[in-house]
Amino acid sequence: MYEIALIGNPNVGKSSLFNLLTGENVYIGNWPGVTVEKKEGYFDNNYKIIDLPGVYSLSTGAIDEKVTMEYFLKNKPDLVVNIVDATTLDRNLYLTLQLLEMGNNLLMALNKIDLCKLDYKKIKELENILNIKIVPISVKKKVGIEDLKKMIKELCKNKNYVILKYPKLEKYIEEIIDILKEDQNLKEYNLRLLAIKLLENDDYIINIVKDTDIWNKLEKKLNKINEELKKEYNGKNPFEVERLKLIKKIKEIVYDNNEIYVEKDLTYHIDEVLFNGYYGILVVVPLLWMLFTFTFTASKPFMDIIETLINIFSNFIKEIVTNKFLASLLADGIIGGVGAVLVFIPLLLFLYIGISFYEGTGLLARIPILADMYLRKFGLPGKAIIPLILGFGCNVPAILAARTIENEKDRILTIIINPLCSCSARLPIYVLFASAFFSKNQGLVILSLYTLGISLALILSKIFRIVLFKEEPEELTYELPNYHIPSFREIFVNTWERIKHFLRKAGTIILFGSILVWFLTVFGPSGFLGEDVFKNPELIKMSFSAKIGEFLSVIFSPFGWGWKETTALFYGLMAKELVVSSLGILYGVSGDKLLNILTKYFTPVSAYAYMVFTLIYVPCLATLGVIKQELGLKWTIFVMLYLIVLAYFVSLTIFIIGNLIFC
Amino acid sequence: MTTLAEVESGKEVIIKEILAGQGLRNKLLSMGLREGERVKVLINNRGPIVVLVGSCRLGLGRGMANKILVEELGE
Ligand SMILES: Nc1nc2c(ncn2[C@@H]2O[C@H](COP(=O)(O)OP(=O)(O)O)[C@@H](O)[C@H]2O)c(=O)[nH]1
Ligand SMILES: [Mg+2]
């Protein structure tokens, strides 16, 4: 088995090539410790291809870059396939040179040759200068792919390690490597790459060697070398200077980019409207609306079907299993829990199709740039726009959509404020209370809750940005691909893999959470209560969940909410829409009767406070599940805690002020 | 010499200096925004700026464009 690393700048056609080489043989996971996607695939069984995140250079700023750097620090692939965009060769060469500096068996795949005239003599010259093999291809037109495969196999067998050396810098690299060699702990690392990055003063790399025994010696040496280099290179990064010099030389010999000039094509005209500065953002609003509607409307019938099937199945189980306990465990606990996971599949399916479509058209790179002007004021990156909007439908896909944010801190911030975007599952609660208490101003009351949610989200992100993250959201520079019609095959392969990942990671949490809630409902201190507990207010009173509600209701006594109202909140943890149905069960009524009975237990002010509380307090289990999948346990707990505290204080404030005004 | 943010749409400029820390500088360099490089400002209204570097379009926030010093090329 040979290991092949596929690397290149963003937008060079790396994904397209990867899919072409591997076909359906793809596995998507995460890189260890981070949520950057890790794609692996095979071709001809014997060749394993690793798709590294697209990067412009080997550095350690963004998380994608760290992943790529870590890979090269700790792995020695049999072959590195560097995919390069023929239309922007000189830019792409920066990364190529870095790959050669550290020493690699490297093959260059020169892509998009359908877009430019090729001079094969010049390609030969470039091959000679860099001492590597170059295969011109066009992934789009499927040109040269067989040649590429043949060359990959050839180079895996007969390796041609190339080390690019800059005469003026080589002796320093060697001096550093000599010191690094002394430390056994660094054995697994690519020492040459470490040495180069140390000479470039890369903080991330310095941290790797800082704790080793050789650090003292190393630091002295580095300081001395830096002194010398500073004089020689006028304080500039010497590697940067050498790379640019070599690129310039290559450009003179093999490459003239005079003829590539994109003039006023369709992309230009669309961009002119979009980036107008006045009405550009107006174009974005319908685009976001389309994405939102597509995701949630298209998935709705499928979610309904899954729900119905799950109901039929669980009723069927209840009929054939005679043991009451077993029947309830299977039907309400396990099947109900599986159902709670499965209903997300259509949602994620359509979300990913929608997002990939936007990505494919070239819009996904542009929308954030426009949103950035506005969101930056609140400490959020431009790319937070899509999670923020999707959050009004469901926080689960919204949080997953935050994956496109490369900067780790920006991504965390975007995720932790997302639960404040009021998802559609909270609407039934608002509708119920608004129609019971504010029948004249229903619309206004409901709108006020959505506004409150998004305002809190923006205010808190500003606060978290200042208190927790301390630095500004990353400045944006995006490559803007041409607008075009996306390919659907890639969309489907990737979508299915991502859904599998969700089922494995977040799915298990949701399933176990559902079973736990089931257990707390059908069991009480007196033991198994029978499945009628779901219909009988007298029985549910004896369950563990009612006891928990009773216990917690002390906290809510200022609002005048009792154990029933508190227990309903507890069920809201499972899924927010359950607040309504569990209030019905707890009061033992439904429909219009529920509206009437609510007025006995709530005043308009305490009802409004209750709505505000359900808006803010802990997101549902599924949302917590994806937060854990995306950010880990620590942040999940943080989100739960801050939301509970916030919910309590905001609703209490509203309650007090409301009572002062209206009573 | 002006900053990229002040160049009108349609003008071509040469990048003179990038006033940014090592990290940002490296990012711009590797994306093709290099000192001495000729770029064309495609769109610069009130919003983000779109420039053409070689054959590729880059979108920049205005904050970023303020850190890039350029010299305008005559017709
Ligand atoms: N004209 C042309 N376009 C290509 C070719 N290969 C990829 N593309 C396009 O380049 C864009 C980026 O491709 P993608 O595979 O997503 O690149 P990645 O960002 O490197 O993964 C897409 O719009 C592709 O359709 C090619 O050989 N010729
Ligand atoms: Mg890609």
Side-chain angles (χ1 to χ4, degrees), chain A residues 56-57 59 87-88 90-91 94 237 240 244 247 251 260-263 265 267-268 271-272 275-278 369-370 474-480 482, chain B residues 12 22 24-34 37-38 40 42-43 45-48 50 52-61 63-64 67:
Chain A
Y56 292 103
S57 68
S59 45
T87 67
T88 50
D90 57 327
R91 185 185 74 182
Y94 199 84
N237 176 343
E240 196 183 290
L244 293 180
I247 290 173
K251 242 170 116 174
I260 348 171
Y261 236 42
V262 187
E263 271 309 323
D265 55 0
T267 299
Y268 174 87
D271 279 347
E272 205 178 21
F275 294 116
N276 168 278
Y278 293 100
I369 293 197
L370 286 163
E474 194 168 88
E475 287 264 12
L476 289 173
T477 18
Y478 283 132
E479 191 167 339
L480 305 177
N482 285 356
Chain B
E12 280 188 49
Q22 185 61 41
L24 189 56
R25 201 185 138 71
N26 186 291
K27 183 162 185 202
L28 292 175
L29 272 180
S30 57
M31 289 181 89
L33 287 170
R34 299 169 184 165
E37 195 77 26
R38 219 170 122 146
K40 180 167 180 171
L42 286 180
I43 296 156
N45 296 327
R46 251 169 37 106
V50 182
L52 192 64
V53 190
S55 69
C56 112
R57 289 183 177 79
L58 296 181
L60 308 175
M64 182 84 88
K67 294 177 188 159

Side-chain angles (χ1 to χ4, degrees), chain A residues 412 416 468-469 624 627-642:
Chain A
I412 293 174
I416 63 177
L468 293 180
F469 299 112
L624 290 176
I627 295 180
K628 164 130 193 317
Q629 172 189 324
E630 296 297 297
L631 299 181
L633 189 61
K634 219 182 77 199
W635 281 110
T636 314
I637 292 172
F638 173 80
V639 169
M640 287 174 71
L641 290 181
Y642 102 77

Side-chain angles (χ1 to χ4, degrees), chain A residues 284-299 347 350-359 363-364 367 385-387 389-390 397 401:
Chain A
V284 171
V285 173
L287 286 173
L288 290 170
W289 180 245
M290 266 161 58
L291 179 65
F292 183 91
T293 314
F294 175 74
T295 305
F296 295 106
T297 312
S299 57
L347 204 53
F350 287 102
L351 167 78
Y352 284 130
I353 291 175
I355 293 216
S356 313
F357 180 82
Y358 273 39
E359 188 176 14
L363 282 166
L364 200 66
I367 292 173
I385 187 70
I386 288 172
I389 300 293
L390 289 173

Side-chain angles (χ1 to χ4, degrees), chain A residues 447-661:
Chain A
L447 184 67
S448 74
L449 287 158
Y450 279 94
T451 316
L452 178 68
I454 189 76
S455 313
L456 285 173
L458 295 176
I459 295 169
L460 278 166
S461 65
K462 185 82 198 169
I463 295 174
F464 287 148
R465 174 62 72 184
I466 295 168
V467 179
L468 293 180
F469 299 112
K470 300 192 174 78
E471 53 186 70
E472 289 288 294
E474 194 168 88
E475 287 264 12
L476 289 173
T477 18
Y478 283 132
E479 191 167 339
L480 305 177
N482 285 356
Y483 293 103
H484 56 82
I485 313 288
S487 110
F488 282 94
R489 205 178 138 270
E490 179 186 338
I491 293 177
F492 284 114
V493 175
N494 290 348
T495 299
W496 173 233
E497 287 298 325
R498 290 185 183 125
I499 290 175
K500 275 204 311 216
H501 187 71
F502 168 82
L503 293 179
R504 261 199 313 270
K505 284 290 175 66
T508 37
I509 296 176
I510 301 171
L511 178 59
F512 282 108
S514 312
I515 295 174
L516 179 68
V517 171
W518 167 82
F519 174 83
L520 293 175
T521 308
V522 298
F523 278 87
S526 60
F528 184 54
L529 300 170
E531 56 151 357
D532 288 338
V533 73
F534 291 103
K535 297 178 201 114
N536 186 338
E538 291 308 314
L539 273 180
I540 204 168
K541 199 172 173 181
M542 297 177 346
S543 68
F544 280 118
S545 49
K547 300 289 166 214
I548 294 173
E550 226 163 279
F551 176 71
L552 291 177
S553 65
V554 180
I555 310 171
F556 297 113
S557 50
F559 298 97
W561 306 336
W563 71 271
K564 287 178 183 166
E565 295 74 23
T566 315
T567 307
L569 289 177
F570 172 75
Y571 282 113
L573 296 182
M574 188 52 229
K576 293 267 169 125
E577 63 265 38
L578 288 187
V579 172
V580 172
S581 55
S582 26
L583 276 175
I585 295 169
L586 289 159
Y587 292 136
V589 292
S590 62
D592 280 349
K593 289 210 188 96
L594 183 55
L595 287 183
N596 292 332
I597 209 163
L598 281 177
T599 49
K600 269 195 232 148
Y601 289 90
F602 290 89
T603 65
V605 174
S606 83
Y608 193 79
Y610 196 75
M611 286 192 269
V612 170
F613 195 86
T614 51
L615 160 68
I616 304 172
Y617 88 116
V618 183
C620 70
L621 199 62
T623 306
L624 290 176
V626 277
I627 295 180
K628 164 130 193 317
Q629 172 189 324
E630 296 297 297
L631 299 181
L633 189 61
K634 219 182 77 199
W635 281 110
T636 314
I637 292 172
F638 173 80
V639 169
M640 287 174 71
L641 290 181
Y642 102 77
L643 285 173
I644 290 177
V645 173
L646 184 73
Y648 193 82
F649 282 102
V650 173
S651 37
L652 191 61
T653 312
I654 287 175
F655 183 72
I656 291 170
I657 296 176
N659 276 326
L660 286 178
I661 298 175

Side-chain angles (χ1 to χ4, degrees), chain A residues 10-16 111-112 114-115 138-140 484:
Chain A
N11 284 313
V12 291
K14 202 161 56 69
S15 300
S16 316
N111 192 29
K112 304 199 186 178
D114 54 302
L115 293 181
S138 164
V139 177
K140 196 170 182 179
H484 56 82

Side-chain angles (χ1 to χ4, degrees), chain A residues 176-193:
Chain A
I176 300 291
I177 292 179
D178 281 341
I179 299 178
L180 293 173
K181 266 191 196 145
E182 292 168 21
D183 199 306
Q184 291 301 311
N185 297 325
L186 295 174
K187 241 187 169 160
E188 54 179 309
Y189 285 90
N190 180 330
L191 295 185
R192 199 175 157 86
L193 180 57

